[in-house]
Amino acid sequence: MGNLEELFTSVRSQFPALTQLVHGKKLVYLDSGATTLKPQSVIDRISHFYSYETSNVHRGAHYLGDVATGHFEAARQKVADFLGASQSEEIIFARGTTEGVNLVANSWGLSNLKAGDEILITVMEHHGNIVPWQMVAEKVGAKVVAADIHDNGELNLEDFKSKLSAKTKLVAFTASSNVLGTNTDVKLLTRLAHEAGAKVLVDGAQIVSQLPVNVQDMDCDFFVFSAHKLFGPFGFGAVYGKKAILDQMPPYQGGGSMISKVTIEKTTFNDVPTRFEAGTPHVEGAVGLHAALDFVEKIGLDKIHAYEMEILKSATEKLLAIPDVKIFGTSSNKGAILSFNLKGAHHSDVAQILDQEGVAVRAGHHCTQPLMARLGVPGTVRASFSVYNNHEDIDALVKAVAKAREMLL
Ligand code: PLP
């Protein structure tokens, strides 16, 4: 661990949020599954953009307009490279994962789904990858079906296969569960879905910060993620779509930029990806995401993954040593997320005590109510780890959970 420890000590020093006290205690931030903290390089890049480069994009009759447009499109290329897409035209900028799913559901979904069709998801999906499909299904008379998990939090492959049929037109699943941590076998599930004749959308919200992604290798048709879970800004993210499919899709929203020609009677639309980006875009979101990807690439996702696995292993062992702790999601292939409960204590009470100790975790249903129903609990406490966490953070978590146990049980 020696070298990794040193590297990540220096990484940690790049996060100004971690220099503050909360409730008089050192902040131990274990809520990266909800959003990651931002490194100084990303903060500085966005500040520089607002200070010196503010201008609208794609309107350009002047120097700054060209500068901003150049940065915006460079970010698109950067995202394409990061995801292994074959061209930057396959990258649509959106508000994040949720808007990405809504875009695909409304554009591809409304024009391709019909009564009797099925959309296959999994029971561990985030509401962002459930509700948009239900809304579209209701409009066209299609049905949302969910594959089950095993008790250890892994996808039940037999159940998944049994629910794939000629009726299945789209399979939408997470690459990594925000509650259980489980990483799914994206390549396998995609192949099975394609063999059944369905298109595939991968929810990449929790995978992009922990493992390299290659959409061509995965062969998925759509892939969505949010910048804010990847050290980047809020309100920004991207949708990858295979160019041939995007070319056939109608616009999601109407307005400026997405048009080719407008008359009062009729509008013709721009090419992909601009067709899907109505109105002034979140330019500093793109610029900030570019800086965030530079940050990640400078460390290396291989090192990030190795370090997070060390942290997860140690945190799991230490937490399980506390009596009455039950962990949800114990797959050997999982991200650095620990969802747990103290038997007999309410998750919110536990989180409140942890907060008083400076330990920031999330408690509740984590926008996965069907998963909570499957697990038979109203909610869990979730500690999620990232590049800036260290062994002291684990010890602080364990000490605070032991204290919560003493106080609540
Ligand atoms: N999918 C997963 C697996 C998530 O963890 C999240 C956020 O927690 C989302 C989707 C929704 O992401 P956003 O709120 O950034 O759109």
Side-chain angles (χ1 to χ4, degrees), residues 33-34 96-99 126 128 174 176 178 203 205-206 226 228-229 362:
T97 307
T98 302
E99 191 179 52
H126 186 282
T174 188
S176 186
N178 61 311
D203 174 350
Q206 297 288 343
S226 304
H228 73 96
K229 293 184 196 288
R362 183 157 173 200

Side-chain angles (χ1 to χ4, degrees), residues 115-394:
D117 286 346
E118 290 185 357
I119 300 156
L120 177 59
I121 61 169
T122 82
V123 76
M124 63 179 145
E125 297 311 309
H126 186 282
H127 295 164
N129 198 26
I130 302 176
V131 185
W133 300 116
Q134 288 175 341
M135 291 166 74
V136 165
E138 195 160 326
K139 278 187 191 152
V140 302
K143 190 174 161 196
V144 175
V145 180
D148 198 9
I149 52 169
H150 292 295
D151 288 342
N152 71 352
E154 286 178 2
L155 183 68
N156 182 334
L157 196 56
E158 290 315 308
D159 194 55
F160 179 86
K161 285 182 190 165
S162 76
K163 284 172 175 157
L164 262 179
S165 74
K167 288 190 207 162
T168 316
K169 292 295 172 329
L170 185 102
V171 179
F173 61 90
T174 188
S176 186
S177 159
N178 61 311
V179 176
L180 305 163
T182 313
N183 292 341
T184 54
D185 188 339
V186 175
K187 253 180 110 160
L188 173 65
L189 301 183
T190 301
R191 183 168 58 74
L192 293 171
H194 283 164
E195 281 168 9
K199 296 277 183 274
V200 171
L201 177 137
V202 175
D203 174 350
Q206 297 288 343
I207 201 78
V208 282
S209 63
Q210 48 153 322
L211 280 170
V213 166
N214 187 304
V215 286
Q216 290 187 77
D217 186 46
M218 289 172 166
D219 197 30
C220 56
D221 301 291
F222 304 102
F223 183 99
V224 291
F225 76 95
S226 304
H228 73 96
K229 293 184 196 288
L230 186 57
F231 314 104
F234 286 110
F236 195 71
V239 179
Y240 156 83
K242 282 181 180 163
K243 180 75 166 34
I245 300 175
L246 293 179
D247 280 339
Q248 301 302 315
M249 284 165 49
Y252 168 49
Q253 295 175 329
S257 295
M258 50 77 75
I259 58 94
S260 171
K261 184 169 170 55
V262 181
T263 65
I264 293 301
E265 291 75 29
K266 188 176 165 53
T267 294
T268 54
F269 305 117
N270 215 330
D271 289 336
V272 169
T274 325
R275 184 193 306 162
F276 298 106
E277 295 177 357
T280 297
H282 186 6
V283 187
E284 80 280 19
V287 168
L289 175 57
H290 193 157
L293 295 179
D294 285 341
F295 167 81
V296 168
E297 284 173 6
K298 202 166 164 201
I299 306 169
L301 272 168
D302 52 339
K303 294 203 180 75
I304 291 176
H305 183 65
Y307 182 70
E308 287 185 357
M309 288 303 97
E310 281 292 333
I311 292 284
L312 176 68
K313 184 165 176 281
S314 169
T316 306
E317 283 166 8
K318 289 185 175 171
L319 205 59
L320 281 176
I322 302 173
D324 303 311
V325 165
K326 178 176 163 64
I327 290 179
F328 299 89
T330 52
S331 171
S332 56
N333 181 8
K334 66 177 281 193
I337 281 182
L338 275 179
S339 278
F340 64 95
N341 273 334
L342 268 177
K343 287 175 210 155
H346 195 274
H347 50 85
S348 298
D349 295 337
V350 176
Q352 216 168 1
I353 293 169
L354 265 55
D355 180 48
Q356 289 303 315
E357 298 300 310
V359 179
V361 292
R362 183 157 173 200
H365 57 64
H366 314 292
C367 298
T368 58
Q369 287 180 359
L371 176 60
M372 293 298 121
R374 168 63 178 80
L375 297 173
V377 292
T380 71
V381 183
R382 182 186 71 184
S384 46
F385 303 89
S386 187
V387 294
Y388 33 72
N389 294 121
N390 58 21
H391 289 272
E392 276 176 40
D393 291 348
I394 297 172

